[in-house]
Amino acid sequence: MFACISEILSRCLCEVLKLLELFDCFLKTALQWELREWLVDRLGYVTVESVVSGPGLANVYNFLVAVKGWPAAFPNESAATPKSIADKALQDGEKTCTEALNMLVDMWAAECRAMALRTMPHGGLYVAGGLAPKLLVPMKDRFVEAFCNGDSLMGSIIRNFPVYAVTNEFVGMMGALARAHRLLL
């Protein structure tokens, strides 16, 4: 009897955790959830890095072409590099590349919003990494709109946090170097 109750409680806990995951997740639209399922089938897992990164941009683009039937902007999948996708979106306004970039920025803003709600960064949220210097400047308006207005329930709190883009691509290396220097002294 206790084993049966334990199994029922375990199943209930799993269902509750799945529901909580829905509320604290960078995936907000049905299309984004379809992307998640496609990535699980393709990679076996999904992380924020699977979509909010350079390789993530290629994943989003390939999903739109392979699953949703959007027109391919490149002759083959290997030509669809993060740089080529971003260039075609930002310079040429190519439809599929632009949609992939918009999806990435929306999910990036959603993850930053969730991080801001978890940490309450009253001094500001600093967005760094390889994408920040390349995409946040041309995509600033979309990112800010998605960050500030993507959550109707918590939007008034979110709008109080300043967001800064760290445009130095080597900030991570600088931090590691500074830490190594302190450890050696």
Side-chain angles (χ1 to χ4, degrees):
M1 180 169 155
F2 288 112
C4 184
I5 292 172
S6 175
E7 184 178 327
I8 291 170
L9 288 174
S10 177
R11 286 183 186 171
C12 288
L13 180 59
C14 286
E15 292 304 311
V16 168
L17 290 174
K18 285 179 187 175
L19 287 173
L20 289 175
E21 180 183 295
L22 292 174
F23 294 109
D24 188 27
C25 183
F26 61 94
L27 304 169
K28 299 296 182 192
T29 68
L31 185 61
Q32 292 169 358
W33 279 97
E34 283 183 66
L35 168 64
R36 178 194 181 281
E37 294 304 314
W38 181 75
L39 286 169
V40 167
D41 289 344
R42 189 170 188 189
L43 305 174
Y45 64 92
V46 177
T47 65
V48 174
E49 285 289 316
S50 302
V51 290
V52 182
S53 65
L57 179 58
N59 285 337
V60 175
Y61 169 84
N62 289 324
F63 160 77
L64 290 173
V65 172
V67 176
K68 301 312 285 181
W70 285 55
F74 305 98
N76 56 50
E77 190 174 308
S78 63
T81 65
K83 182 175 181 358
S84 64
I85 295 166
D87 288 347
K88 276 210 181 271
L90 297 172
Q91 294 168 6
D92 303 338
E94 197 282 327
K95 181 181 175 181
T96 306
C97 295
T98 300
E99 180 61 19
L101 193 55
N102 287 342
M103 284 179 66
L104 178 139
V105 170
D106 290 347
M107 290 182 283
W108 193 5
E111 176 59 21
C112 287
R113 212 173 36 249
M115 177 62 69
L117 289 171
R118 285 190 298 268
T119 61
M120 298 299 210
H122 294 284
L125 182 68
Y126 290 80
V127 181
L131 292 179
K134 295 175 186 87
L135 295 181
L136 276 185
V137 173
M139 299 296 290
K140 175 185 164 193
D141 293 339
R142 185 175 188 98
F143 181 88
V144 170
E145 173 66 24
F147 179 79
C148 292
N149 300 320
D151 186 332
S152 58
L153 182 63
M154 303 301 259
S156 60
I157 294 171
I158 294 289
R159 286 187 278 281
N160 289 318
F161 305 132
V163 178
Y164 303 100
V166 178
T167 57
N168 183 330
E169 289 184 58
F170 302 105
V171 71
M173 292 297 275
M174 292 165 57
L177 183 62
R179 177 69 176 145
H181 180 71
R182 273 187 251 132
L183 288 173
L184 292 172
L185 292 181

